[in-house]
Amino acid sequence: MHGAATVALFLLTALLISTPLNLLPFGLLLVGSSVVGADYLWRARAQARPASRVLFWLAAVAIGLGVLSILQVDGVVSDEGNRSRFVVMPWLVLWVCALRPRAEALWWGALAGLLVAFGVCAWQVLNGASRADGWTNAIVLADTALILMVLLVFCRPPARWGLIVFGMAAGGGVILLSGSRGVWPALLGLLVAMALAVRWRSGRFRFMTLVGLMLVAVTLVLSVPQLRQMTRLTELHSDVRRIENGDVNSSAGARLERLEVAWDTFLERPITGVGIGHFDDAMLRLPECHLPDRSEVRCHLGHAHNDLAEWGATQGIPGVALLLCVYGIPLWLFIRLHRRSGEVEFRGPAAAGIMLVVSYVLCGMTQSMFAHQLSASTYTSLVGILAGFSLLDAARRGATASA
């Protein structure tokens, strides 16, 4: 069971964006090992309880409010909001504590996944694609590649910096080829955290080195036409000009329009919203979306392209409060576990968990992270896995100290 769980972790990060299988092999191994090793999971419940209890109640509230919202609008239970994925959080805490897979498998899988994903993206662009999207869509691809980079940096084994730089370059290539701009704030946050966390000379020297590298990167992007095209800076400039002229039929304009629609919907229905999975109903307040054929693409994108706008417009005030809990409770939990670990450096599973939540918050400013099965499942799975490893790490350090 230990070996099967280790393989499952490797396949989780290795296949996440590099193949169309995504989380399927991991899910099959998770279910199989949990059934066969049910007695191990039962005996590990006491050790897992500090984190699993908190995540269980978070999952119960998220799923309960989701079902209530869906029944209120559709009258039938469905999973349009991907809320059933939350059930794996406490399950994976227990699974990790019981079967104790090797944490390095996450790191090796992330490295392999980024390298293969870069190859796939390069092949797509070389064959004429304007933006690489892997096996999902370009925005989700870039956001998930960033999460693998988080695992690569903060779950790192000792003396692997050469491979980390190699993997980070591959991840940066995936983001560049995807043409996604919304991931940039999270990428910047990752680089700053990485520069300040690595114990190499002084913190000021590391920060100035990071600033220098960023200036070089910005200069290259602005001066090389091909890089400027890949990062879609010219398109962004054009979008801003069109918005100033009252034309919102562009990428940036459509996002701004959806934020306005979400705010108006929230004010109109602050308690219930329009229901999970029904953001397109809110778009009907626009004249263009009342046309019989609804040919405007922006009328049926399915979500708000912003976490706060999405949850507020579809679930009202309870949705906003729940979103704060979905991000805030795991963040609080990982901060506590990192302090308990006694880790001097900002690294390890708890540090990775902190950066996971921060990255999702930043990516969620331009994307509805739980409107897509891949990004929703990645978050819930990694929260549970990293919380389980954080508990094991704290217990191991405590045993070593007492000895």
Side-chain angles (χ1 to χ4, degrees):
M1 290 302 97
H2 167 78
T6 299
V7 171
L9 288 187
F10 175 82
L11 294 179
L12 167 63
T13 47
L15 305 183
L16 193 59
I17 56 174
S18 61
T19 72
L21 295 175
N22 302 133
L23 291 94
L24 178 60
F26 166 74
L28 293 175
L29 283 172
L30 171 64
V31 173
S33 59
S34 297
V35 171
V36 176
D39 54 334
Y40 291 97
L41 270 68
W42 177 256
R43 291 199 293 268
R45 66 191 188 282
Q47 184 176 17
R49 186 173 293 122
S52 62
R53 178 181 293 173
V54 173
L55 295 179
F56 170 82
W57 286 112
L58 175 60
V61 173
I63 295 172
L65 287 178
V67 170
L68 184 63
S69 176
I70 292 169
L71 287 175
Q72 188 173 9
V73 176
D74 294 336
V76 60
V77 176
S78 62
D79 188 32
E80 293 185 38
N82 291 313
R83 300 302 168 85
S84 65
R85 273 72 176 173
F86 284 92
V87 75
V88 304
M89 292 193 300
W91 178 6
L92 281 167
V93 175
L94 187 62
W95 182 77
V96 169
C97 290
L99 304 185
R100 306 198 174 200
R102 294 185 59 186
E104 293 86 354
L106 275 179
W107 186 87
W108 284 107
L111 177 62
L114 287 171
L115 294 177
V116 176
F118 176 72
V120 171
C121 293
W123 180 82
Q124 289 180 334
V125 172
L126 290 174
N127 279 272
S130 59
R131 299 173 63 183
D133 56 10
W135 310 101
T136 174
N137 70 61
I139 300 175
V140 175
L141 172 68
D143 292 342
T144 312
L146 177 81
I147 298 306
L148 293 181
M149 294 165 71
V150 167
L151 297 178
L152 194 70
V153 172
F154 294 100
C155 291
R156 64 186 184 272
R160 295 291 184 182
W161 276 109
L163 291 175
I164 290 174
V165 172
F166 194 41
M168 290 288 287
V174 171
I175 292 174
L176 185 66
L177 293 173
S178 74
S180 176
R181 299 173 302 214
V183 73
W184 291 357
L187 178 59
L188 176 61
L190 170 61
L191 294 176
V192 170
M194 177 181 172
L196 298 179
V198 176
R199 297 179 65 83
W200 180 58
R201 299 196 179 185
S202 66
R204 183 178 180 181
F205 179 84
R206 296 194 299 270
F207 184 74
M208 294 305 297
T209 301
L210 172 65
V211 171
L213 291 174
M214 289 176 59
L215 289 175
V216 171
V218 170
T219 302
L220 286 173
V221 169
L222 294 178
S223 60
V224 180
Q226 290 81 0
L227 291 177
R228 194 164 60 247
Q229 182 178 0
M230 286 182 182
T231 53
R232 299 166 66 213
L233 288 179
T234 304
E235 180 183 331
L236 179 60
H237 178 70
S238 175
D239 290 353
V240 173
R241 294 283 299 273
R242 292 170 66 179
I243 292 172
E244 292 174 348
N245 295 326
D247 181 6
V248 296
N249 194 18
S250 63
S251 177
R255 280 173 163 78
L256 181 61
E257 182 181 61
R258 300 179 88 76
L259 291 178
E260 294 174 351
V261 168
W263 175 245
D264 292 339
T265 303
F266 177 77
L267 293 179
E268 183 181 287
R269 306 183 67 173
I271 304 301
T272 62
V274 293
I276 294 176
H278 288 269
F279 187 80
D280 285 353
D281 292 345
M283 294 296 291
L284 292 175
R285 67 176 57 247
L286 300 178
E288 298 86 347
C289 297
H290 270 293
L291 298 175
D293 58 353
R294 297 185 66 186
S295 57
E296 290 285 344
V297 175
R298 68 181 192 271
C299 294
H300 48 83
L301 293 177
H303 54 79
H305 269 293
N306 177 281
D307 267 340
L308 189 60
E310 173 79 17
W311 291 54
T314 57
Q315 286 188 274
I317 294 174
V320 173
L322 179 59
L323 178 64
L324 295 177
C325 292
V326 165
Y327 286 143
I329 290 177
L331 181 62
W332 165 80
L333 179 64
F334 283 123
I335 290 174
R336 287 195 60 188
L337 290 172
H338 182 67
R339 289 175 177 172
R340 284 181 51 192
S341 70
E343 179 68 61
V344 178
E345 296 183 67
F346 187 66
R347 65 183 296 270
I354 293 172
M355 289 307 302
L356 168 73
V357 177
V358 170
S359 298
Y360 262 77
V361 170
L362 294 175
C363 289
M365 294 191 299
T366 56
Q367 176 65 305
S368 300
M369 301 301 288
F370 293 92
H372 299 276
Q373 181 271 337
L374 181 62
S375 52
S377 298
T378 299
Y379 181 79
T380 55
S381 297
L382 288 178
V383 164
I385 290 169
L386 293 173
F389 278 125
S390 299
L391 289 174
L392 293 179
D393 196 34
R396 182 170 56 253
R397 290 178 181 273
T400 302
S402 62

